C-alpha cells in the first residue's frame, strides 16, 4: 500500500498563536467502541459553511500515557485553517477504557483504525482526504495500520523511527545498562526482559507470558 508522506516541517507553523477570542472551529465529544472498550476523544471541525467537506486528520500517540490533550492545540490551530481533526485518549488513558501497557502495536493500530473509520463517516468530512498525524511511536502505529490494509490517504510522520521499534528500544536500553552499576549477569537478564517485552508488542508471545 502506498501512502503519501507529508513533511512534518510544515507543521512547525503550528507554533504560531492566535487570539483565544477568535474561534473559527467547533468541538464535539465523541465515544467509539474499540477492540478493548470505549475510546473517547474530541472531534474538532472548521466552523462556517464556505466548504461543505473538509480534509481531516487523526492524531495518533507517542509511546507511554497519552490523552487527547497532547494533540488538541494542533487540532484547533489546523481547524482554524480548514483541516478537521480527531484527538483521542489512548486506551487506558483519559476517558478511554483498556490498558496501553499490555497493548501491542497492532492493538494500538486496531484502536486507531476504529477512530479513523469513525472520522471518515462524519458529516462535513471529505472521505477521500483522511489521514493521520503520527509522532514518534505513532509512526510505527501508522505503518501497522497500512500493513493491516487501513485506508489512509496521507501520513504526517513526525520524529518517527528510522529503524524497527525493537532495534530502537534495544539500543536505548543497552546504552542505559552500560552506564548502570549492574553486573554482566544482571544486564543480560534485563535485556532478556526487554526482548520478551517486544515479543509481546509484536504478538510473538501472549502478553500473559510476559506478565
Amino acid at each position: 500500500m502506498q501512502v503519501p508522506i507529508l513533511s512534518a516541517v510544515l507543521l512547525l507553523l503550528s507554533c504560531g498563536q492566535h487570539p483565544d477570542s477568535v474561534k473559527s472551529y467547533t468541538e464535539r465529544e465523541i465515544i467509539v467502541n474499540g477492540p478493548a472498550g470505549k475510546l473517547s476523544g474530541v472531534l474538532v471541525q472548521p466552523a462556517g459553511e464556505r466548504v461543505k467537506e473538509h480534509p481531516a486528520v487523526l492524531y495518533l500517540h507517542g509511546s507511554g500515557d497519552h490523552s487527547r490533550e497532547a494533540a488538541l492545540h494542533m487540532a484547533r490551530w489546523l481547524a482554524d485553517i480548514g483541516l478537521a481533526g480527531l484527538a483521542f485518549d489512548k486506551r487506558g488513558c483519559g476517558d478511554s477504557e483498556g490498558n496501553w501497557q499490555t497493548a501491542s502495536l497492532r492493538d494500538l493500530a486496531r484502536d486507531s483504525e476504529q477512530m479513523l473509520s469513525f472520522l471518515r463517516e462524519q458529516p462535513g468530512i471529505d472521505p477521500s482526504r483522511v489521514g493521520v498525524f503520527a509522532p514518534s511511536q505513532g509512526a510505527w502505529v501508522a505503518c501497522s495500520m497500512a500493513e493491516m490494509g487501513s485506508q489512509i490517504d496521507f501520513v504526517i510522520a513526525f520524529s518517527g523511527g528510522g529503524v524497527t521499534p525493537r532495534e530502537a528500544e534495544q539500543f536505548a536500553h543497552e546504552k542505559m545498562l552500560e552506564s548502570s552499576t549492574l553486573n554482566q549477569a544482571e544486564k543480560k537478564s534485563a535485556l532478556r526482559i526487554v526482548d520478551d517485552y517486544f515479543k509481546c508488542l509484536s504478538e510473538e508471545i501472549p502478553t500473559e507470558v510476559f506478565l
Side-chain angles (χ1 to χ4, degrees):
M1 176 181 180
Q2 293 185 343
V3 180
I5 305 294
L6 304 184
S7 172
V9 174
L10 298 177
L11 290 180
L12 292 177
L13 295 174
S14 65
C15 295
Q17 301 294 320
H18 56 81
D20 290 337
S21 58
V22 180
K23 198 172 182 179
S24 57
Y25 55 84
T26 62
E27 295 185 8
R28 175 163 60 93
E29 293 279 336
I30 62 95
I31 294 177
V32 173
N33 290 320
K38 294 180 179 179
L39 297 169
S40 300
V42 176
L43 177 60
V44 186
Q45 292 181 268
E49 299 181 353
R50 289 184 302 169
V51 179
K52 290 185 177 180
E53 292 187 333
H54 295 271
V57 61
L58 173 69
Y59 294 90
L60 305 183
H61 312 98
S63 60
D65 185 329
H66 284 285
S67 71
R68 71 193 73 175
E69 298 302 325
L72 268 181
H73 171 73
M74 185 176 294
R76 290 165 177 161
W77 190 89
L78 291 178
D80 260 348
I81 58 175
L83 182 67
L86 176 54
F88 71 104
D89 301 330
K90 181 187 281 191
R91 64 162 68 186
C93 305
D95 294 327
S96 288
E97 298 175 342
N99 185 349
W100 65 267
Q101 292 176 307
T102 59
S104 68
L105 287 177
R106 279 186 171 270
D107 288 332
L108 299 178
R110 293 181 187 108
D111 289 349
S112 300
E113 167 60 24
Q114 291 291 104
M115 302 303 281
L116 192 70
S117 296
F118 171 86
L119 178 59
R120 197 181 299 278
E121 295 169 355
Q122 298 312 294
I125 301 300
D126 181 350
S128 67
R129 294 187 293 168
V130 178
V132 297
F133 173 74
S136 191
Q137 187 187 77
W140 286 317
V141 173
C143 289
S144 292
M145 292 173 69
E147 182 185 20
M148 291 161 51
S150 300
Q151 182 183 347
I152 306 175
D153 299 311
F154 60 88
V155 172
I156 304 170
F158 183 80
S159 189
V163 295
T164 68
R166 183 176 298 186
E167 289 172 324
E169 291 295 327
Q170 283 183 329
F171 177 82
H173 282 87
E174 286 171 1
K175 292 304 176 184
M176 285 189 289
L177 288 170
E178 281 180 9
S179 60
S180 74
T181 58
L182 298 177
N183 60 43
Q184 287 302 314
E186 290 170 330
K187 290 178 180 179
K188 287 182 179 180
S189 177
L191 287 174
R192 281 196 296 269
I193 293 174
V194 172
D195 187 58
D196 284 344
Y197 171 65
F198 275 93
K199 286 179 180 178
C200 288
L201 287 185
S202 60
E203 299 183 341
E204 295 174 34
I205 61 175
T207 302
E208 293 75 16
V209 174
F210 176 70
L211 296 177

